[in-house]
Amino acid sequence: MIRAVICDDEKAAGNIIRFFIEQEKLPIHIAGMAVNGRDALKLIRKEKPDLAFMDINMPYMNGFEVISQVPETKFIVITAYDSFSYAQKALRLGASDIISKPIELSQLKEAVSRAVGWNFTANDTVNKMLCYIHSHYTENISLEDLEEITYCTKSHISRLFKKYMEVSVLNYIHTLRIEKAVVYLKEGRLGIQEISEKVGYQNLNNFYKYFKQQKGETPAVFLQNQNAGKW
């Protein structure tokens, strides 16, 4: 479950976000709400949410000031002003997305999907599985784990996942891990062994195997091509 907070001095805006989340059965738990910047900062530091919906114009501290003090939090900025400079500043501070008031459902879902890194489906059970996978992909995820969180049989969740995602659970996990590995390889700060372990492969041979399946080349060759492209 994605833990989120809503920080907006207009209670109506916070209520519509909560309503949309409940209506669509999105796997998001609202851990708290704040109506001014000072309380928003306290709330975020206390709850350490995965995501924060942050209004810009609030009493005591504005949204930009709050964002700058908790850079490890993912923010979706909410504003009543259709301003390019606002959007620029929000993104420069690290906000994942920016949505304008009045808030629309499609806009909200797209912003949350971009922030968490995966798209919601029309099925609540599949959404729960996706949320769990993206939160635990570095671990040894089994169908038993998904069975436990969904209260469904392994055969049922396998069929359901394939129906909505068009790939098996296992293939989805490997694809996610390799895409994360590509990001680390491009950053160039970690070695291949470190990246392998960081994305959930304790066996380096398995990492090479699935990387080549996904990308058509080994991590070492990918890295060489990346380095060659810098010169």
Side-chain angles (χ1 to χ4, degrees):
M1 184 71 73
I2 299 164
R3 295 180 69 258
V5 297
I6 301 172
C7 307
D8 198 312
D9 62 341
E10 294 182 28
K11 290 187 178 181
N15 289 337
I16 194 65
I17 291 172
R18 188 188 287 273
F19 172 77
F20 282 151
I21 288 169
E22 292 174 354
Q23 173 187 284
E24 296 297 302
K25 296 183 179 178
L26 302 181
I28 299 174
H29 167 68
I30 302 300
M33 299 178 72
V35 294
N36 65 67
R38 188 171 56 199
D39 288 346
L41 184 59
K42 289 178 182 177
L43 179 64
I44 292 168
R45 285 176 170 168
K46 177 187 175 184
E47 296 294 339
K48 296 180 172 57
D50 303 306
L51 185 63
F53 297 96
M54 176 63 62
D55 187 24
I56 294 301
N57 292 304
M58 291 189 294
Y60 303 119
M61 294 175 69
N62 65 41
F64 294 135
E65 292 174 302
V66 176
I67 293 171
S68 66
Q69 294 198 44
V70 277
E72 67 280 1
T73 303
K74 288 184 178 178
F75 286 94
I76 293 177
V77 168
I78 306 165
T79 179
Y81 298 93
D82 186 13
S83 168
F84 180 70
S85 62
Y86 266 39
Q88 268 193 322
K89 187 170 183 179
L91 296 174
R92 191 165 59 246
L93 286 170
S96 299
D97 214 326
I98 182 165
I99 58 179
S100 57
K101 296 177 182 178
I103 300 166
E104 298 178 357
L105 174 59
S106 59
Q107 184 186 37
L108 177 70
K109 289 178 71 174
E110 288 172 8
V112 174
S113 294
R114 283 191 287 267
V116 301
W118 50 272
N119 294 323
F120 297 106
T121 73
N123 186 275
D124 183 36
T125 301
V126 177
N127 288 340
K128 285 181 181 177
M129 288 192 279
L130 287 168
C131 185
Y132 184 88
I133 289 169
H134 279 261
S135 299
H136 297 84
Y137 71 90
T138 60
E139 304 168 16
N140 185 24
I141 300 173
S142 67
L143 287 178
E144 285 79 8
D145 296 323
L146 299 178
E147 190 178 37
E148 187 175 332
I149 66 165
T150 60
Y151 305 104
C152 298
T153 64
K154 287 182 281 188
S155 59
H156 178 70
I157 60 178
S158 294
R159 287 195 301 270
L160 201 60
F161 196 91
K162 185 70 178 287
K163 175 183 176 180
Y164 283 92
M165 301 307 296
E166 300 183 344
V167 295
S168 70
V169 173
L170 189 60
N171 282 342
Y172 187 91
I173 292 170
H174 286 307
T175 299
L176 173 62
R177 286 174 172 173
I178 297 309
E179 290 304 321
K180 298 289 186 181
V182 165
V183 173
Y184 288 125
L185 285 167
K186 288 181 176 179
E187 288 176 350
R189 296 199 300 262
L190 300 174
I192 291 175
Q193 178 73 52
E194 292 175 288
I195 293 172
S196 170
E197 294 173 358
K198 199 170 181 67
V199 300
Y201 293 106
Q202 300 307 312
N203 185 309
L204 189 59
N205 287 335
N206 282 341
F207 178 53
Y208 267 75
K209 171 187 171 183
Y210 289 110
F211 194 98
K212 191 168 184 180
Q213 280 183 6
Q214 296 283 336
K215 298 300 175 184
E217 58 189 6
T218 66
V221 172
F222 180 90
L223 197 55
Q224 288 173 1
N225 291 336
Q226 280 291 120
N227 292 335
K230 293 177 181 178
W231 302 99

